[in-house]
Amino acid sequence: MEGLNIYSINIWEACSSEQEVLVSRQSSPDNKAIVLATTVDIANQVCYLVSTHTRKLHDVDRNVSNYQEIDSFSKTISCIIDTKDEPITFKPEIVQELLTEPILPKMKMSDIQNQPGRLFFAHCTDGEDKKKVRGQFWVYALDDVIANTIVTEHGNRLGIFDLDVDAILVELYPFKDTCVFWNADLIEYDMQQ
């Protein structure tokens, strides 16, 4: 299965000039997004689409552009995407359209992540009573083994379950579509031995 790179994007709304961008960047971003995509250009485009849709929902002038600042990672990070919301997904056909007919100019920065990771939805149940849900998380990691470790560490750290006492069953559901987690946070885990 093809992997996805991860990007953290800060968004400042309604900047109508370069001067306004400079002033706006001195304050905290208005929104932030965690984007999973194959390239930084796709990440930039889908985040822009989500941002303009959000502004439309809040009746903000769509002709005024936002300003996005993208951070990428040089390696696959191991993390929980901390959100209670479902990601906003983009099917392959939409991504292909954005590649052939982009809505934003190509970015001047190149990708630095040397190996794509995988996104999973983790569903944790009691090892003895599989109907008893102990936690659900979005996790990004290099593979399913690392993802499983992160999920159990995270649940243990939050006190959702005690790994010294509880038997936990973790089911990982791979997610392969380009997606945007709007106003989500990353909780990184150091998986180096």
Side-chain angles (χ1 to χ4, degrees):
M1 176 167 76
E2 185 178 327
L4 297 167
N5 292 338
I6 189 166
Y7 305 91
S8 177
I9 304 180
N10 290 325
I11 302 129
W12 287 268
E13 299 291 350
C15 297
S16 57
S17 68
E18 186 177 342
Q19 183 60 36
E20 200 173 322
V21 167
L22 295 173
V23 170
S24 184
R25 283 185 61 207
Q26 294 174 11
S27 62
S28 296
D30 297 307
N31 295 290
K32 57 187 172 179
I34 306 301
V35 180
L36 286 294
T38 53
T39 68
V40 68
D41 279 308
I42 291 297
N44 189 43
Q45 304 233 16
V46 296
C47 188
Y48 181 79
L49 285 173
V50 171
S51 178
T52 54
H53 179 71
T54 302
R55 286 201 313 269
K56 183 178 178 183
L57 289 176
H58 292 90
D59 205 25
V60 177
D61 183 4
R62 290 185 71 225
N63 295 324
V64 180
S65 183
N66 65 2
Y67 175 77
Q68 298 180 169
E69 194 171 75
I70 300 178
D71 286 328
S72 57
F73 301 87
S74 59
K75 61 182 177 130
T76 303
I77 62 171
S78 301
C79 66
I80 295 287
I81 300 173
D82 188 21
T83 181
K84 297 202 180 344
D85 299 323
E86 293 290 316
I88 300 155
T89 61
F90 294 85
K91 295 294 180 196
E93 308 82 59
I94 303 293
V95 173
Q96 187 58 44
E97 281 182 35
L98 290 171
L99 288 170
T100 55
E101 295 181 37
I103 54 173
L104 296 174
K106 187 166 177 58
M107 295 189 66
K108 293 186 170 107
M109 71 184 276
S110 58
D111 281 297
I112 60 171
Q113 189 170 332
N114 58 21
Q115 185 172 14
R118 295 176 65 196
L119 178 66
F120 300 92
F121 180 72
H123 180 75
C124 308
T125 55
D126 194 277
E128 296 173 7
D129 179 5
K130 294 181 182 28
K131 292 181 180 169
K132 186 176 181 184
V133 176
R134 301 299 293 267
Q136 298 185 118
F137 311 104
W138 288 97
V139 58
Y140 178 77
L142 185 60
D143 57 37
D144 56 345
V145 174
I146 295 172
N148 186 66
T149 303
I150 295 165
V151 168
T152 53
E153 274 192 40
H154 187 68
N156 191 56
R157 182 185 288 179
L158 292 179
I160 294 171
F161 41 79
D162 183 346
L163 292 178
D164 294 329
V165 177
D166 299 323
I168 300 300
L169 174 64
V170 177
E171 295 174 288
L172 294 173
Y173 300 96
F175 196 83
K176 60 182 180 181
D177 288 336
T178 298
C179 61
V180 177
F181 289 90
W182 194 250
N183 285 326
D185 291 312
L186 286 181
I187 302 170
E188 288 190 59
Y189 282 84
D190 185 3
M191 300 307 291
Q192 294 182 5
Q193 306 301 343

